[in-house]
Amino acid sequence: MLNVTVWNENRHEQKNPVVREIYPEGIHGAIANFLTTESVNVKTATLDEPNHGLSDDVLNSTDVLIWWGHLAHEEVEDAIVNKVKQRVLEGMGLIVLHSGHFSKIFKTLMGTTCDLKWREADDKERLWVIDPSHPIVEGIGEYIELEKEEMYGEHFDIPAPDQLIMMSWFEGGEVFRSACTYQRGKGKVFYFRPGHETYPTYHNEEIQRVISNAVQWAKPTERNMPVYGNAKPLEEIQEKN
Amino acid sequence: MLNVTVWNENRHEQKNPVVREIYPEGIHGAIANFLTTESVNVKTATLDEPNHGLSDDVLNSTDVLIWWGHLAHEEVEDAIVNKVKQRVLEGMGLIVLHSGHFSKIFKTLMGTTCDLKWREADDKERLWVIDPSHPIVEGIGEYIELEKEEMYGEHFDIPAPDQLIMMSWFEGGEVFRSACTYQRGKGKVFYFRPGHETYPTYHNEEIQRVISNAVQWAKPTERNMPVYGNAKPLEEIQEKN
Amino acid sequence: MLNVTVWNENRHEQKNPVVREIYPEGIHGAIANFLTTESVNVKTATLDEPNHGLSDDVLNSTDVLIWWGHLAHEEVEDAIVNKVKQRVLEGMGLIVLHSGHFSKIFKTLMGTTCDLKWREADDKERLWVIDPSHPIVEGIGEYIELEKEEMYGEHFDIPAPDQLIMMSWFEGGEVFRSACTYQRGKGKVFYFRPGHETYPTYHNEEIQRVISNAVQWAKPTERNMPVYGNAKPLEEIQEKN
Amino acid sequence: MLNVTVWNENRHEQKNPVVREIYPEGIHGAIANFLTTESVNVKTATLDEPNHGLSDDVLNSTDVLIWWGHLAHEEVEDAIVNKVKQRVLEGMGLIVLHSGHFSKIFKTLMGTTCDLKWREADDKERLWVIDPSHPIVEGIGEYIELEKEEMYGEHFDIPAPDQLIMMSWFEGGEVFRSACTYQRGKGKVFYFRPGHETYPTYHNEEIQRVISNAVQWAKPTERNMPVYGNAKPLEEIQEKN
């Protein structure tokens, strides 16, 4: 059984009836619904819960954490961010969605500003598959088309991804690296661009498939953790003058 | 004219006569000496100077910053680290040496613990060139051999390097990724392993050649900075329902 | 059910009683034995069979092909190599072992000479895990130690691997990139260094675990193949002067 | 002095008055003109010359080779392709332009089909800079806009580039990895997409700047070539049972 926690800021849903109509159970609820299967156990957590819903117990039992935030990145407590980071470095998978590019957890794992161009103008988006052999795009065709989305454009200030899986075309003239993987410590990190709150993107079955695939890709492997620090020699070292 | 600043913690040199004998002008002095040429202007800066020697004027006029620290990483003020990071993201080159793997600036740019195995036992080290076409190893043969060095061993908890240029063999049985490049923002970062304070490593001419090459590699390019934020469309966007 | 074909040159086994004693069923037989499970169906194929055992039927029903060759790379017919290459580019996984670095199939997929240093002198080898989160090293500790192996040393003339998973330390003073992944077309390629014919390397349980993991990693994903060639526009193109 | 050879198929120029009008000295002549400086010596070579203009003398004295071909890839003799490949692996830089993606030399260095989508329909192209710190885009702004070009679309069947520097947006709805670097042997390879023969692309000053930058990036470094083959141990190897 794989344990997934979907974290959502859950503020747009409270303020904006358009968002509430699209996601009556919240973005977290929508994602939890399509991820849940017989072998995937999904919980949700939101900003305004105690510890943002991310107690030590929750974090320690989470195999893959999904992160959606936008309005209130600064309200996420540093202490919680540090714990999430620690867990990623120990092996927990992390999937950062859309405006989560500016979340504290993503920025601290990337080491860059994670800045980009953006526009809310109903751009058509077409996400082209660049690496068709990658398990994250299993079952996806040549591209995913979204009739309307927020535009994110290059330059996207991220480290060069370990793997670049999809690139977006936008109607207004921009491109974007939309599906990127990173290894950080023993954890796997996946950034996936689409998902502006005023569009029904997470109801799109291909988008759902990508996120479901990413959960399987990001899950921790069974491993003996490396040992750090002062190390005895494994071979004899000759004495020198 | 290229402007290089060599930053050194400069504490071992004050405390340990062995280090002072090897580096009578400090590690920073030794590095500044071999880097200085008609076209490379080198300054030094140390921890105990005001602002650690890294005033805004110094940082803003530095093309490539070299960093050596070990005992006192925690004494480097966060405000200065943030300014250095900002400058790297804007394009300043950064060369991190040896125990600088645990410096605040390297860890914040990497996003990982940067932990490793280590041993002070006079291991022989042999740095093998993995990428012989890289300009950083121009003029270097198949390997550089150091009779005695501190051992650093894998697992080295860093993101997968953009380019892996050299790997070390150690007498006591370990290996290490010793020469790694990263792009962060508009800046180039190079990590280079050798240089424990009690060995005359920075007097080795091949080590000097690598660091000199790295300075040329890491220097900023002439460029128009990308623009971030809200962006007008470059193409007409169709109205949608 | 996953279909694996283990291809072996199977010449050393005929000529050398030492090899025959270690691998009475051939290297291919030994590998087939440990790979076979309820969900993995394994066939073998050897050089001296018609079509080298790689008929169109065999190739078309193979999900992952394992390749061991050494003495007789030149005897492998170009027509068969071309078919194997075609299948890899279409999605078949390929695992190249040890002296297979000089096989026609590996060289044509890499585009380089794939040359290296070597020595048969009972070197101890220690394969250090560099990427502990990679599924290919699931269940493996910090390193695998082999008491005696042929040495392969850098420079190894390969393209920079997509992922570098293990690096070897050799008693005689060399290092080597021993576990490397590549994407080629829609296929996944894994090169794994150990396995000289005069040592019982493929009886080592950790080596077996790596190869078993690699089979799972390299298996094809379900996908719609990209379409190439002349493409109609997806958006209206303005007429220009 | 850097020695550059610009190789051009030079067939469109003979057949098509439109091309001849745009490039009265041939595509090779146009490129040679803008590349020539006091420190860059440029020669040209074309398909219909003896040895395609690529005698051993020419190849051995070329630091960087530029390749433009389209109609007649199959007429390039394998013996010449093998010599070019050998020289690249030894350190000669190679810049492959536009329809050269299907040249024998590019395909044999990549190991893949190098296939793609294409369309001749006066698409507008916008090449976005993804890696603004790369020396190949020194002096270039956020993007290069070409009013009309042939479209090349993903999936582009290449190995994952070592560095992805620019991505194209096309009016008709596609994206493309347009500026890619690869290391092969001791040589550096750069693929650059634009340059259909019926458009004046190589008269665009920004396109010229990219190619000029790429020549400097791809030039060989001074180095001792690695030694391959049977290697004596550098350290004593213990006798084992």
Side-chain angles (χ1 to χ4, degrees):
Chain A
M1 183 61 83
L2 197 65
N3 292 304
V4 176
T5 301
V6 181
W7 191 90
N8 182 19
E9 191 180 273
N10 196 29
R11 289 278 176 85
H12 289 290
E13 291 91 334
Q14 310 311 313
K15 298 178 179 181
N16 187 340
V18 172
V19 178
R20 201 158 51 234
E21 193 178 0
I22 300 173
Y23 297 115
E25 300 175 72
I27 288 176
H28 53 294
I31 294 174
N33 282 343
F34 72 75
L35 282 181
T36 301
T37 68
E38 280 185 12
S39 58
V40 180
N41 179 37
V42 186
K43 287 178 184 155
T44 63
T46 54
L47 179 64
D48 293 324
E49 296 174 54
N51 298 308
H52 312 321
L54 298 173
S55 67
D56 291 1
D57 276 1
V58 167
L59 280 177
N60 290 336
S61 63
T62 296
D63 295 310
V64 180
L65 178 66
I66 297 180
W67 196 274
W68 198 103
H70 183 211
L71 293 175
H73 295 310
E74 288 311 308
E75 294 183 42
V76 181
E77 286 175 32
D78 289 343
I80 302 291
V81 174
N82 287 340
K83 283 180 184 182
V84 172
K85 182 176 183 177
Q86 181 63 24
R87 283 284 299 141
V88 171
L89 297 180
E90 288 169 9
M92 182 179 73
L94 177 70
I95 299 174
V96 175
L97 296 174
H98 190 61
S99 42
H101 74 91
F102 258 168
S103 63
K104 289 181 178 179
I105 183 62
F106 191 60
K107 289 195 293 184
T108 188
L109 286 165
M110 295 296 105
T112 57
T113 68
C114 302
D115 213 341
L116 47 74
K117 287 184 165 62
W118 59 270
R119 178 175 58 240
E120 297 185 50
D122 289 356
D123 278 78
K124 186 189 290 186
E125 176 176 14
R126 192 176 287 113
L127 297 109
W128 287 91
V129 172
I130 299 309
D131 183 355
S133 69
H134 201 286
I136 286 181
V137 285
E138 181 150 18
I140 302 299
E142 295 206 276
Y143 57 82
I144 300 174
E145 192 171 307
L146 299 171
E147 192 202 0
K148 296 188 279 190
E149 251 290 353
E150 185 182 3
M151 185 281 293
Y152 278 7
E154 298 279 349
H155 178 246
F156 185 18
D157 184 23
I158 47 172
D162 294 349
Q163 299 167 316
L164 176 59
I165 305 175
M166 303 181 102
M167 301 190 328
S168 287
W169 176 98
F170 285 99
E171 191 179 1
E174 293 87 358
V175 296
F176 197 74
R177 289 170 289 176
S178 285
C180 303
T181 74
Y182 295 93
Q183 155 259 333
R184 286 293 180 271
K186 288 88 212 170
K188 300 189 188 74
V189 179
F190 178 56
Y191 175 76
F192 191 41
R193 197 213 76 83
H196 191 61
E197 67 273 4
T198 61
Y199 304 114
T201 299
Y202 297 121
H203 296 310
N204 178 298
E205 289 188 7
E206 291 175 298
I207 298 295
Q208 294 178 359
R209 178 76 193 263
V210 170
I211 298 173
S212 298
N213 288 343
V215 164
Q216 294 299 323
W217 171 84
K219 70 185 177 195
T221 51
E222 167 205 338
R223 72 209 168 277
N224 308 312
M225 295 293 279
V227 177
Y228 299 106
N230 200 343
K232 288 197 178 145
L234 300 161
E235 307 290 329
E236 195 180 348
I237 297 172
Q238 284 195 307
E239 205 158 326
K240 302 178 185 75
N241 295 322
Chain B
M1 182 63 81
L2 197 65
N3 292 304
V4 177
T5 301
V6 182
W7 191 91
N8 182 19
E9 190 181 274
N10 196 29
R11 290 277 176 87
H12 289 290
E13 291 90 335
Q14 311 311 314
K15 296 179 181 181
N16 187 340
V18 172
V19 178
R20 201 158 52 233
E21 195 179 358
I22 300 173
Y23 296 115
E25 300 175 72
I27 288 175
H28 53 293
I31 294 174
N33 282 343
F34 72 74
L35 281 182
T36 301
T37 68
E38 279 185 12
S39 59
V40 180
N41 178 37
V42 186
K43 287 179 185 154
T44 62
T46 54
L47 179 63
D48 293 323
E49 296 174 54
N51 298 308
H52 312 321
L54 299 173
S55 67
D56 290 1
D57 276 1
V58 168
L59 280 177
N60 290 336
S61 63
T62 297
D63 295 310
V64 180
L65 177 66
I66 297 182
W67 195 275
W68 198 103
H70 183 210
L71 294 174
H73 294 312
E74 287 311 308
E75 294 182 42
V76 181
E77 284 175 34
D78 289 344
I80 301 291
V81 173
N82 286 342
K83 284 180 183 180
V84 173
K85 181 175 182 175
Q86 182 61 24
R87 282 284 298 142
V88 171
L89 297 180
E90 288 169 9
M92 182 180 72
L94 177 69
I95 299 175
V96 175
L97 296 175
H98 189 62
S99 41
H101 73 91
F102 257 167
S103 62
K104 288 181 179 179
I105 183 61
F106 191 60
K107 289 195 293 185
T108 189
L109 286 166
M110 294 297 106
T112 57
T113 68
C114 302
D115 213 341
L116 46 75
K117 287 184 167 61
W118 58 271
R119 178 175 59 240
E120 296 185 50
D122 288 356
D123 277 77
K124 186 190 289 185
E125 176 177 12
R126 190 175 288 113
L127 296 109
W128 287 91
V129 172
I130 298 310
D131 183 354
S133 68
H134 201 286
I136 287 181
V137 285
E138 181 150 17
I140 302 299
E142 294 206 277
Y143 56 82
I144 300 174
E145 192 171 307
L146 300 171
E147 192 202 0
K148 295 188 280 189
E149 252 290 354
E150 185 182 3
M151 184 281 294
Y152 278 7
E154 297 280 347
H155 178 245
F156 184 18
D157 185 24
I158 48 173
D162 293 350
Q163 299 167 316
L164 176 60
I165 305 175
M166 302 181 101
M167 302 191 326
S168 288
W169 176 98
F170 286 99
E171 192 180 0
E174 293 85 359
V175 296
F176 197 74
R177 288 170 289 176
S178 285
C180 302
T181 74
Y182 295 93
Q183 156 258 333
R184 286 292 180 273
K186 289 88 212 169
K188 299 189 189 74
V189 179
F190 178 55
Y191 175 77
F192 191 40
R193 197 214 77 81
H196 191 61
E197 66 274 4
T198 61
Y199 303 114
T201 298
Y202 296 122
H203 296 311
N204 178 299
E205 289 187 7
E206 290 176 298
I207 297 296
Q208 293 178 359
R209 178 77 194 263
V210 170
I211 297 172
S212 298
N213 288 342
V215 164
Q216 294 299 325
W217 171 85
K219 69 185 177 195
T221 51
E222 167 204 338
R223 70 209 169 279
N224 307 312
M225 294 293 280
V227 176
Y228 299 106
N230 201 343
K232 288 197 178 145
L234 300 161
E235 307 289 330
E236 196 180 348
I237 297 172
Q238 284 197 306
E239 205 158 328
K240 302 177 184 75
N241 295 322
Chain C
M1 181 64 82
L2 197 66
N3 292 304
V4 176
T5 301
V6 181
W7 191 90
N8 182 19
E9 191 181 274
N10 195 28
R11 289 278 174 86
H12 289 290
E13 291 89 335
Q14 311 310 315
K15 296 178 179 181
N16 187 339
V18 172
V19 178
R20 201 158 51 234
E21 194 179 358
I22 299 173
Y23 296 116
E25 300 175 72
I27 287 175
H28 52 293
I31 294 174
N33 281 343
F34 72 74
L35 281 182
T36 301
T37 68
E38 279 185 12
S39 58
V40 180
N41 178 36
V42 187
K43 288 178 183 156
T44 63
T46 54
L47 180 64
D48 294 322
E49 296 174 54
N51 297 309
H52 313 320
L54 298 173
S55 67
D56 290 2
D57 277 2
V58 167
L59 280 177
N60 291 335
S61 63
T62 296
D63 295 309
V64 180
L65 178 65
I66 297 180
W67 196 274
W68 199 103
H70 183 211
L71 294 174
H73 294 311
E74 286 312 308
E75 295 182 42
V76 180
E77 286 175 31
D78 289 344
I80 302 292
V81 174
N82 287 340
K83 284 181 182 180
V84 173
K85 183 175 181 177
Q86 182 61 24
R87 281 285 297 141
V88 171
L89 297 180
E90 288 169 8
M92 182 179 71
L94 177 68
I95 298 174
V96 175
L97 296 175
H98 189 62
S99 41
H101 73 92
F102 258 167
S103 62
K104 289 180 177 178
I105 183 62
F106 191 60
K107 289 195 293 184
T108 189
L109 286 166
M110 295 295 106
T112 56
T113 68
C114 301
D115 212 342
L116 46 74
K117 288 184 165 61
W118 59 270
R119 177 174 61 239
E120 297 186 49
D122 289 357
D123 278 78
K124 186 190 288 186
E125 176 176 13
R126 191 175 289 113
L127 296 109
W128 286 92
V129 172
I130 298 310
D131 183 355
S133 68
H134 201 285
I136 286 181
V137 285
E138 181 151 18
I140 303 298
E142 295 205 276
Y143 56 81
I144 300 174
E145 191 171 307
L146 299 170
E147 192 202 0
K148 295 188 280 190
E149 250 291 352
E150 185 181 4
M151 184 281 294
Y152 277 8
E154 297 281 345
H155 178 246
F156 184 19
D157 184 23
I158 48 172
D162 294 349
Q163 299 166 316
L164 176 60
I165 305 175
M166 302 181 102
M167 302 189 328
S168 288
W169 176 97
F170 286 99
E171 191 180 0
E174 292 86 359
V175 295
F176 197 74
R177 287 170 288 176
S178 285
C180 302
T181 74
Y182 295 93
Q183 155 258 334
R184 286 292 180 271
K186 288 89 211 169
K188 299 189 189 75
V189 179
F190 178 56
Y191 175 76
F192 191 42
R193 197 213 78 82
H196 191 60
E197 66 273 5
T198 60
Y199 303 114
T201 298
Y202 297 122
H203 297 311
N204 177 300
E205 290 188 6
E206 290 175 299
I207 297 297
Q208 293 178 0
R209 179 76 194 263
V210 170
I211 298 172
S212 298
N213 288 343
V215 163
Q216 294 300 323
W217 171 84
K219 70 186 177 194
T221 51
E222 168 205 337
R223 71 209 168 280
N224 307 313
M225 294 293 279
V227 176
Y228 300 106
N230 200 344
K232 289 198 177 143
L234 300 161
E235 308 289 331
E236 195 181 348
I237 298 172
Q238 284 196 306
E239 204 156 330
K240 302 177 185 73
N241 295 323
Chain D
M1 182 62 83
L2 197 67
N3 292 304
V4 176
T5 301
V6 181
W7 190 90
N8 181 20
E9 192 181 273
N10 194 28
R11 289 277 174 85
H12 289 290
E13 291 89 335
Q14 311 311 315
K15 297 177 178 184
N16 187 339
V18 173
V19 178
R20 201 158 52 234
E21 194 178 0
I22 301 174
Y23 297 115
E25 299 176 72
I27 288 176
H28 53 295
I31 293 174
N33 282 344
F34 72 74
L35 281 182
T36 301
T37 68
E38 280 185 12
S39 59
V40 181
N41 179 37
V42 186
K43 289 178 182 155
T44 63
T46 55
L47 179 64
D48 293 322
E49 296 174 55
N51 298 310
H52 313 320
L54 298 174
S55 66
D56 290 1
D57 276 2
V58 167
L59 281 177
N60 290 336
S61 63
T62 296
D63 295 310
V64 179
L65 178 66
I66 297 181
W67 196 275
W68 198 103
H70 183 211
L71 294 173
H73 294 311
E74 287 312 307
E75 294 182 44
V76 181
E77 286 175 32
D78 289 343
I80 302 291
V81 174
N82 287 340
K83 284 180 183 182
V84 172
K85 182 176 182 177
Q86 181 62 24
R87 282 285 297 142
V88 171
L89 297 181
E90 288 168 9
M92 182 179 73
L94 177 69
I95 298 174
V96 175
L97 295 175
H98 189 62
S99 42
H101 73 92
F102 258 167
S103 62
K104 289 180 178 179
I105 183 61
F106 191 61
K107 289 195 293 184
T108 188
L109 286 166
M110 294 296 106
T112 58
T113 68
C114 301
D115 213 342
L116 46 73
K117 288 185 164 60
W118 59 271
R119 177 175 60 239
E120 297 185 49
D122 289 356
D123 278 78
K124 185 190 291 186
E125 176 177 13
R126 191 175 288 114
L127 297 108
W128 287 91
V129 173
I130 299 309
D131 183 354
S133 68
H134 201 286
I136 287 181
V137 285
E138 182 151 17
I140 303 298
E142 296 206 277
Y143 57 82
I144 300 173
E145 192 171 306
L146 300 171
E147 192 202 359
K148 295 188 279 189
E149 251 291 352
E150 185 181 3
M151 183 283 292
Y152 278 7
E154 297 279 348
H155 178 245
F156 185 18
D157 184 23
I158 48 172
D162 294 349
Q163 298 167 315
L164 176 59
I165 305 174
M166 302 181 102
M167 302 189 328
S168 288
W169 176 98
F170 286 99
E171 191 179 1
E174 293 85 359
V175 295
F176 196 73
R177 289 169 288 176
S178 285
C180 303
T181 74
Y182 295 94
Q183 155 258 334
R184 286 291 181 274
K186 287 89 211 170
K188 299 190 190 73
V189 179
F190 177 56
Y191 175 77
F192 190 42
R193 196 213 79 80
H196 191 61
E197 66 273 6
T198 60
Y199 303 113
T201 299
Y202 297 121
H203 297 310
N204 178 299
E205 290 188 7
E206 290 174 299
I207 297 296
Q208 293 178 0
R209 178 77 194 262
V210 169
I211 297 173
S212 299
N213 288 343
V215 164
Q216 294 299 323
W217 171 85
K219 70 185 177 195
T221 52
E222 167 205 337
R223 70 206 169 282
N224 307 311
M225 294 292 279
V227 177
Y228 299 106
N230 200 344
K232 288 197 178 144
L234 300 161
E235 307 290 330
E236 195 180 348
I237 297 172
Q238 284 196 306
E239 205 158 327
K240 301 178 185 72
N241 295 322

